[in-house]
Amino acid sequence: MANSSTLGMKLVHLDLKGAPPRVSYLAQVLPLFRALGATGLLIEYEDMFPYSGDLECLRAQHAYSLTEIDEIQNLAKVHSLEVIPLVQTFGHLEFVLKHERFSHLREVRRFPNALNPHKEESLQLIGAMLQQVMDVHKGVKWFHIGADEVYYLGEGEESRQCLSEGECTTWKLFLNHAKAVAQHVVTTFPSVTPIMWDDMLRNMNEDLLIESGVAKLVEPMIWDYVSDLDVNNRIQLIEKYQRCGFSKMWLASAFKGATGVNQSLTHIKHHVDNHLLWLQVANSKVSGLIQGIALTGWQRYDHFSVLCELLPVGMPSLAVCLQILEQGGYTEKVIELVEQSLGIASLDIENLMSCTIGSFPGSDVLALVSQVALFLETSVDELLENNIYVRGWFSPYHRKRQVVHPIMVHHFHPEAVSLLAKWTAIRDELREALNKIYYPDASQEWLEENVCPTLEKLQQFVEDADRALQAQT
């Protein structure tokens, strides 16, 4: 059975590129993270970092202030949580390259996802970003430089020219830039070790990896979020990296945000299975190479995608997964501790969480989101599509032409009005709960994506019914 020492550090990933929590909420949940077994935070700032000077345009509307970042770090220190900042330096740079000021640094002119590795200004930009983040993270031991999913690398004009000359490959393009960034980190901040996602390294030739020298500079973070993770394959990958000179490595699981781009409720069983398989990897012959594991909690798949599960919604999953890593398996003790810590009457990992669960910070958001996700659309569809009086005497054809049998409206109008009042009240209650945790733009985005379309359809239906009744008088 694995234990905490086998896995090393356990980092909770805060993905701030979507629905970044207010610092006041982080103050409530960080002690809970620690109590459940976390030993650190992997903070992916994206546009929530208060960049200044030439980089000021990168800041989101509600970006944290420097004072707030200091407060987050102080909270982490109080609760013995190691902070590791994460700044993307190659792929997933939409939050930078979407701006006209930096659009000339795109690998492919049309796409704002990846940086052009040929331009000296690209490295200058990354250096400036890293410097500003490091200036307010004194004393950190690791810095995550991202570098995953560098899509369309090699398809830019300068890359195509380089590839056509036969002197480079796409792999070399990646390694050269990643090594330059890592070298900048270790040279500028000698006490800091860079971490990078491993996916761009997985299929590389071992000789090429060894020759690049990148293994002397970085620690790869091997990520896999699937519920049927191939344990032997991951062990073999770790052994490959060891042969290539990487002395320490990290693992990365997921507690939310990895089962659907617009997922609103967390499939806990999926994430439990993922962590149980990572435990097998950590408890294998490669255990001595593992520096720690990051439990990722993705809030968007990329800068432009919709929100997936909110942090409070994923809290039961995070709690279970942390305790699985802490206890070395999914045991009765895990269930008992999670139920006690979160105020859950009965933990159910097989089904989507019920709408009356928990007393942890943000549990009201989980309850209300569950109601919306499980019942809003189905209840409205039941009225608009399955009610015989609506289908027979108040169809879109009838509503458009206002040709309505007056008696029939009375069969569904009271139900429609009642349903609208119910869901309007839930929407308002959820907005209030969200605004305690998130900034108004995040709350509004979630409501517009998940509540408003159905509620507006119901609102229009009630207004049409009201007009039909008024026409009778």
Side-chain angles (χ1 to χ4, degrees):
M1 182 174 286
N3 56 43
S4 296
S5 60
T6 302
L7 275 165
M9 297 178 65
K10 295 183 286 296
L11 312 175
V12 175
H13 172 234
L14 297 176
D15 180 18
L16 302 180
K17 67 177 175 286
R22 296 178 186 269
V23 176
S24 57
Y25 183 67
L26 293 176
Q28 294 178 281
V29 296
L30 292 194
L32 184 56
F33 291 176
R34 180 58 180 164
L36 290 165
T39 60
L41 301 174
L42 179 62
I43 306 180
E44 184 164 357
Y45 282 110
E46 230 228 23
D47 58 0
M48 282 301 290
F49 187 83
Y51 290 105
S52 60
D54 291 340
L55 304 179
E56 187 171 355
C57 67
L58 305 185
R59 300 170 58 165
Q61 179 184 1
H62 298 287
Y64 295 143
S65 66
L66 291 175
T67 300
E68 287 176 315
I69 289 183
D70 284 342
E71 186 177 350
I72 293 171
Q73 293 188 86
N74 288 334
L75 286 166
K77 184 176 181 180
V78 166
H79 299 295
S80 302
L81 294 168
E82 185 98 29
V83 171
I84 300 179
L86 189 160
V87 174
Q88 288 287 2
T89 58
F90 205 170
H92 284 300
L93 275 173
E94 292 92 346
F95 81 102
V96 176
L97 299 177
K98 71 178 183 180
H99 295 283
E100 184 177 355
R101 180 185 184 90
F102 299 111
S103 61
H104 65 289
L105 297 179
R106 298 173 180 179
E107 164 69 343
V108 177
R109 186 178 300 274
R110 294 176 296 160
F111 306 144
N113 60 296
L115 196 66
N116 183 333
H118 302 279
K119 293 186 180 295
E120 184 178 346
E121 192 179 345
S122 293
L123 274 177
Q124 293 172 351
L125 168 64
I126 296 303
M129 292 168 62
L130 297 178
Q131 185 66 56
Q132 290 198 21
V133 175
M134 280 298 299
D135 282 346
V136 293
H137 288 84
K138 305 292 186 184
V140 297
K141 299 175 184 176
W142 291 275
F143 196 110
H144 202 307
I145 60 173
D148 61 317
E149 298 180 334
V150 189
Y151 299 137
Y152 306 109
L153 179 62
E155 297 185 21
E157 184 176 338
E158 290 171 87
S159 290
R160 290 201 306 271
Q161 178 63 32
C162 177
L163 294 171
S164 69
E165 294 171 357
E167 294 299 317
C168 67
T169 64
T170 304
W171 285 350
K172 287 184 178 180
L173 289 177
F174 175 81
L175 288 169
N176 289 342
H177 180 78
K179 182 179 179 181
V181 173
Q183 186 67 61
H184 175 82
V185 172
V186 300
T187 301
T188 311
F189 315 105
S191 61
V192 177
T193 300
I195 300 171
M196 62 182 289
W197 301 115
D198 84 302
D199 55 287
M200 297 295 291
L201 307 175
R202 290 177 193 173
N203 297 318
M204 286 188 183
N205 177 277
E206 290 187 24
D207 291 338
L208 177 62
L209 260 178
I210 294 169
E211 180 186 339
S212 73
V214 72
K216 301 184 187 316
L217 299 171
V218 307
E219 295 176 352
M221 183 171 277
I222 304 164
W223 61 271
D224 199 331
Y225 311 142
V226 298
S227 60
D228 59 348
L229 182 146
D230 188 329
V231 172
N232 290 330
N233 178 271
R234 297 302 91 173
I235 292 172
Q236 291 168 10
L237 182 60
I238 292 170
E239 291 174 334
K240 169 186 174 177
Y241 288 152
Q242 183 185 30
R243 291 193 298 271
C244 293
F246 294 98
S247 58
K248 289 291 182 180
M249 286 156 256
W250 298 76
L251 310 178
S253 58
F255 71 89
K256 76 176 187 75
T259 60
V261 68
N262 64 339
Q263 186 72 31
S264 56
L265 293 178
T266 304
H267 293 283
I268 298 180
K269 181 63 162 55
H270 174 102
H271 301 292
V272 165
D273 291 343
N274 177 251
H275 282 81
L276 290 173
L277 291 169
W278 272 125
L279 271 178
Q280 293 184 33
V281 175
N283 202 35
S284 71
K285 56 187 175 180
V286 299
S287 60
L289 301 172
I290 306 303
Q291 193 80 270
I293 183 169
L295 293 81
T296 63
W298 300 102
Q299 196 54 78
R300 296 188 198 277
Y301 278 26
D302 66 39
H303 181 79
F304 290 108
S305 68
V306 299
L307 297 171
C308 41
E309 307 108 291
L310 299 170
L311 180 55
V313 173
M315 283 295 292
S317 178
L318 174 61
V320 175
C321 293
L322 277 171
Q323 273 297 295
I324 284 173
L325 300 181
E326 186 74 5
Q327 304 298 331
Y330 185 61
T331 64
E332 288 298 323
K333 185 176 182 181
V334 167
I335 296 171
E336 179 183 348
L337 287 170
V338 170
E339 289 176 348
Q340 182 180 6
S341 299
L342 302 186
I344 296 174
S346 180
L347 179 64
D348 180 3
I349 68 168
E350 297 287 345
N351 301 298
L352 293 175
M353 303 307 294
S354 76
C355 58
T356 57
I357 187 167
S359 59
F360 60 90
S363 58
D364 55 343
V365 168
L366 172 56
L368 292 163
V369 165
S370 296
Q371 288 191 55
V372 168
L374 298 175
F375 305 118
L376 170 58
E377 190 170 356
T378 55
S379 68
V380 173
D381 286 348
E382 181 67 23
L383 173 66
L384 272 58
E385 298 178 15
N386 297 333
N387 184 292
I388 188 172
Y389 296 103
V390 174
R391 287 192 294 112
W393 287 272
F394 205 63
S395 70
Y397 178 90
H398 293 113
R399 290 163 61 186
K400 182 178 180 180
R401 291 162 177 79
Q402 297 185 31
V403 180
V404 179
H405 193 305
I407 295 176
M408 296 304 177
V409 179
H410 293 280
H411 285 285
F412 58 79
H413 184 260
E415 180 185 353
V417 170
S418 176
L419 194 62
L420 179 60
K422 170 189 172 181
W423 285 114
T424 299
I426 290 175
R427 178 203 61 191
D428 294 344
E429 186 179 356
L430 178 53
R431 186 192 303 277
E432 183 178 354
L434 288 171
N435 284 339
K436 292 177 182 177
I437 297 174
Y438 298 110
Y439 300 98
D441 57 342
S443 301
Q444 185 63 26
E445 179 182 352
W446 197 92
L447 292 170
E448 285 193 23
E449 288 283 353
N450 297 280
V451 179
C452 293
T454 303
L455 197 57
E456 288 170 359
K457 182 167 65 172
L458 178 59
Q459 174 75 49
Q460 185 61 56
F461 179 85
V462 170
E463 290 177 0
D464 289 349
D466 287 342
R467 280 193 295 271
L469 289 176
Q470 291 168 7
Q472 298 173 24
T473 60

